[in-house]
Amino acid sequence: VKMVHNGIEYGLMQLLAETYDMLCRGLDMSEPELHEVFEDWNAGELSSYLVEITADIFAEVDGITGRPLIDMILDEARQKGTGKWTSQDAMELQIPTPTIDIGVVMRNMSAFKSERQDANRLYGDSIQKYTGDRSKFLEILHEAFYAAMITTYAQGFNLLQGASLAYKFDLNLATVARIWRGGCIIRSALLDEIRDVFTSDPKLPNMILDRDLGGKVISRTEALREVVSNAFSLGIPMPAMAATLSYLDAYRSVWLPANLIQAQRDYFGSHTYERIDERGLFHTEWHQSN
Amino acid sequence: VKMVHNGIEYGLMQLLAETYDMLCRGLDMSEPELHEVFEDWNAGELSSYLVEITADIFAEVDGITGRPLIDMILDEARQKGTGKWTSQDAMELQIPTPTIDIGVVMRNMSAFKSERQDANRLYGDSIQKYTGDRSKFLEILHEAFYAAMITTYAQGFNLLQGASLAYKFDLNLATVARIWRGGCIIRSALLDEIRDVFTSDPKLPNMILDRDLGGKVISRTEALREVVSNAFSLGIPMPAMAATLSYLDAYRSVWLPANLIQAQRDYFGSHTYERIDERGLFHTEWHQSN
């Protein structure tokens, strides 16, 4: 449970970092403006310890240079490994947690600073400024962040539910939400709603399937879509936001193109496939063009 | 080496599945048209075993129903676990391989078919048809696929280079490319170029840093951007394409917002941070607003 806590923490921290990047490089915001945005966000439905300390961080002044301290900190993230274990374990249990995985991946990417400098010297970067309506975009970012925040918890609780089944832990997810709400790095107002969801349906596999809480995510999907599409066109990497949106699009999709993967596996390795119209395992002697 | 081979295989198969999804649900292509697209692709710079068998697969007719066989195959992907090990090991070695990771994640997502059906019943999906110029978009898809294909191999070889260093394997990557070229599931014309890259620079950490091969990727980044932004606006999940683009955008970026992550880690856990203007580890007693 502690490990999954840290996985959710990695996901949320990456979402906050990407949002900061968009506000900073995309919208040219100064530290006092950044402080205000996150202070404002913390006063509403995003209320949480990580948003709160992010607001504090942008207000901190460096004692040595007198500049905002954040600007003096090296952009290479370290880790103690607990987020990584969550992603590794999720892969073991075959449960998708892409937002958490990207949190791990991007810490690793950040640490390759000298390679990034080499690539930048060779190719430059492709970053552009946002030129649309800033205050409207800020509202959209807020909506998108909320959807991504809920989805990150959803992936973590989905993993807990799966681990509980696989290892016969018999976890009470409402209790987990209550304990995390009390005092830990991912404490947030949202955990009250999550506790309610699992109190009324303890075996719910994924909280996206709760009509109230999941509905809040789905109604904000278009905001997420707008943020992600702006991020890609501006060249600002927001991979956790993007992975979250793909996760939601795929989760709502009755059909996914995995039939091709099964066909390929049967073609090259005779791994067999299932059919949509009949039970059982099937194998085809595929016609080869060459 | 065999494990990384399978990781690249997972990444490429997911890229092919996403491309199929875009052509099928986005562009309404029939199986004969799909066969033609991949046959055409296999005749050029994308020439590879996986593209070749994908073309064959779309031509296969189901002996029972007389319909295209691909339509009768259940869209739940299985795995033997070797792609998963690559992602887990990459996380262990702290080397980013997001395209490979997504290959694993999406197989897991596909297997949650009954949950996906539940979510779809609750919320519907958000899939729309592509309405632009089809033949132009096909060219752009081709370009994007090539960039993503090279980047998938780049992540795999980056992992091999890292593993070789960490475990003192002293791998000769040109030899690996030559052996894979000879006959294996990821054999492709591209491996000739990869062999040349590592013959002339055996210690190159990432082939994106090779001006010729990396330049081919960078010059196709705008095509990748167009594909990804269309996928997100149409609601068609292309997470491996998106993760590849984020990887490239981040890799070319001198600065990443990981300074915020370091500030947060120092704030809540006194994990210290580095500065951009001075060597050493620093800790701040952060001012708390509450």
Side-chain angles (χ1 to χ4, degrees):
Chain A
V1 175
K2 168 68 180 159
M3 190 189 71
V4 175
H5 168 282
N6 289 27
I8 296 172
E9 178 189 313
Y10 272 54
L12 296 176
M13 286 169 75
Q14 176 61 26
L15 289 169
L16 284 165
E18 293 176 8
T19 305
Y20 159 48
D21 193 359
M22 175 58 89
L23 295 173
C24 174
R25 290 196 289 184
L27 273 73
D28 254 337
M29 277 197 179
S30 66
E31 277 73 11
E33 288 175 299
L34 289 163
H35 167 72
E36 225 173 284
V37 167
F38 287 99
E39 197 171 52
D40 184 45
W41 284 15
N42 191 47
E45 60 194 4
L46 301 184
S47 173
S48 59
Y49 177 69
L50 281 170
V51 172
E52 178 191 320
I53 73 170
T54 300
D56 288 350
I57 284 166
F58 290 119
E60 193 77 34
V61 174
D62 176 27
I64 302 171
T65 61
R67 294 179 51 189
L69 181 55
I70 187 74
D71 288 345
M72 308 310 295
I73 295 178
L74 187 68
D75 58 321
E76 292 189 30
R78 305 298 171 198
Q79 52 182 307
K80 282 170 46 188
T82 45
K84 175 184 78 184
W85 296 333
T86 309
S87 287
Q88 289 173 327
D89 210 47
M91 287 181 183
E92 206 54 49
L93 289 165
Q94 307 197 356
I95 291 173
T97 56
T99 310
I100 292 169
D101 306 342
I102 283 287
V104 178
V105 165
M106 290 307 286
R107 289 201 190 188
N108 297 338
M109 174 61 93
S110 76
F112 281 78
K113 177 124 178 149
S114 75
E115 276 186 43
R116 290 193 279 115
Q117 284 169 330
D118 290 344
N120 187 268
R121 258 191 299 273
L122 276 173
Y123 308 116
D125 61 36
S126 55
I127 291 160
Q128 287 167 30
K129 300 286 174 206
Y130 181 77
T131 54
D133 181 329
R134 285 163 62 100
S135 67
K136 202 179 149 209
F137 191 59
L138 256 178
E139 278 172 41
I140 291 167
L141 255 177
H142 180 281
E143 297 291 301
F145 188 88
Y146 192 46
M149 182 177 178
I150 299 172
T151 308
T152 306
Y153 283 96
Q155 291 173 15
F157 277 83
N158 184 217
L159 176 57
L160 283 177
Q161 197 71 287
S164 182
L165 269 172
Y167 304 135
K168 300 197 170 55
F169 286 157
D170 202 24
L171 284 177
N172 183 324
L173 296 190
T175 306
V176 171
R178 186 176 54 74
I179 292 170
W180 284 353
R181 180 75 183 97
C184 70
I185 291 168
I186 64 166
R187 63 183 181 263
S188 63
L190 180 59
L191 281 163
D192 290 335
E193 285 176 78
I194 294 173
R195 190 197 53 211
D196 293 345
V197 166
F198 287 109
T199 301
S200 61
D201 188 354
K203 298 293 170 210
L204 188 72
N206 189 322
M207 64 176 89
I208 302 294
L209 295 175
D210 178 82
R211 195 184 278 275
D212 290 335
L213 193 52
K216 287 192 185 187
V217 174
I218 300 304
S219 67
R220 287 164 176 82
T221 306
E222 291 314 305
L224 195 49
R225 219 175 280 293
E226 192 159 341
V227 166
V228 168
S229 101
N230 270 289
F232 279 115
S233 62
L234 298 176
I236 293 173
M238 295 186 90
M241 284 282 183
T244 305
L245 178 53
S246 293
Y247 175 88
L248 293 169
D249 281 342
Y251 196 69
R252 291 164 68 186
S253 187
V254 168
W255 179 87
L256 286 175
N259 53 336
L260 177 61
I261 288 172
Q262 288 301 85
Q264 290 165 331
R265 293 179 72 244
D266 189 58
Y267 190 117
F268 65 64
S270 300
H271 293 302
T272 74
Y273 57 83
E274 291 165 274
R275 291 179 60 102
I276 57 170
D277 58 350
E278 216 178 313
R279 279 175 182 276
L281 295 177
F282 299 83
H283 167 63
T284 292
E285 290 298 319
W286 300 83
H287 293 89
Q288 296 180 20
S289 54
N290 293 301
Chain B
V1 173
K2 169 68 181 158
M3 189 188 74
V4 174
H5 169 281
N6 289 26
I8 295 171
E9 177 189 315
Y10 272 56
L12 295 176
M13 287 169 74
Q14 176 60 25
L15 289 169
L16 284 165
E18 293 177 8
T19 304
Y20 160 48
D21 193 359
M22 174 57 89
L23 295 173
C24 173
R25 291 197 289 184
L27 273 70
D28 254 338
M29 276 197 180
S30 66
E31 277 74 10
E33 288 173 300
L34 289 163
H35 167 72
E36 225 173 287
V37 167
F38 287 99
E39 198 172 49
D40 185 46
W41 284 15
N42 191 46
E45 61 194 3
L46 302 183
S47 173
S48 58
Y49 178 69
L50 282 169
V51 172
E52 177 191 321
I53 74 170
T54 300
D56 288 350
I57 285 166
F58 290 119
E60 192 78 33
V61 174
D62 177 26
I64 303 172
T65 62
R67 294 178 51 189
L69 181 56
I70 187 75
D71 287 346
M72 308 309 296
I73 295 179
L74 187 68
D75 57 321
E76 293 189 31
R78 307 297 172 199
Q79 53 183 306
K80 282 171 45 188
T82 45
K84 176 184 78 185
W85 297 333
T86 309
S87 288
Q88 289 173 327
D89 210 47
M91 287 181 183
E92 206 53 51
L93 288 166
Q94 307 198 354
I95 291 172
T97 56
T99 310
I100 293 169
D101 306 342
I102 284 286
V104 178
V105 164
M106 290 307 285
R107 289 202 189 186
N108 297 337
M109 173 62 92
S110 76
F112 280 80
K113 177 126 177 144
S114 75
E115 275 185 44
R116 289 191 281 115
Q117 284 169 329
D118 290 344
N120 188 268
R121 259 191 298 274
L122 277 173
Y123 308 117
D125 61 36
S126 53
I127 290 160
Q128 287 167 30
K129 300 285 175 209
Y130 181 77
T131 55
D133 180 330
R134 285 163 61 100
S135 67
K136 202 178 148 208
F137 191 58
L138 256 179
E139 277 172 42
I140 291 168
L141 255 176
H142 180 282
E143 297 290 300
F145 188 88
Y146 192 46
M149 183 177 178
I150 299 173
T151 308
T152 307
Y153 284 96
Q155 291 173 16
F157 276 83
N158 184 216
L159 175 57
L160 283 177
Q161 197 69 290
S164 182
L165 268 173
Y167 304 134
K168 299 196 172 53
F169 286 157
D170 203 23
L171 285 176
N172 183 324
L173 296 190
T175 306
V176 171
R178 186 176 54 74
I179 293 170
W180 284 354
R181 180 75 183 98
C184 69
I185 291 169
I186 63 167
R187 63 182 182 264
S188 62
L190 181 59
L191 280 163
D192 290 335
E193 286 177 77
I194 295 173
R195 190 198 53 211
D196 293 345
V197 166
F198 288 109
T199 301
S200 61
D201 188 354
K203 298 293 170 210
L204 189 72
N206 189 321
M207 64 176 90
I208 302 295
L209 294 176
D210 177 82
R211 195 185 280 272
D212 292 333
L213 194 52
K216 287 193 184 184
V217 175
I218 300 303
S219 67
R220 286 162 175 84
T221 306
E222 291 315 305
L224 196 50
R225 219 176 280 294
E226 193 159 338
V227 167
V228 168
S229 101
N230 270 290
F232 279 116
S233 62
L234 299 175
I236 293 172
M238 296 187 89
M241 285 281 184
T244 304
L245 178 52
S246 293
Y247 175 88
L248 292 168
D249 281 342
Y251 197 68
R252 291 164 68 187
S253 188
V254 169
W255 179 89
L256 286 174
N259 54 334
L260 177 60
I261 288 172
Q262 288 300 84
Q264 291 165 332
R265 294 178 72 245
D266 190 58
Y267 190 118
F268 64 64
S270 300
H271 292 302
T272 74
Y273 56 83
E274 292 166 273
R275 292 178 62 101
I276 56 170
D277 58 348
E278 216 175 316
R279 280 176 180 273
L281 296 175
F282 298 84
H283 167 63
T284 292
E285 289 298 320
W286 298 83
H287 292 90
Q288 298 179 17
S289 55
N290 292 302

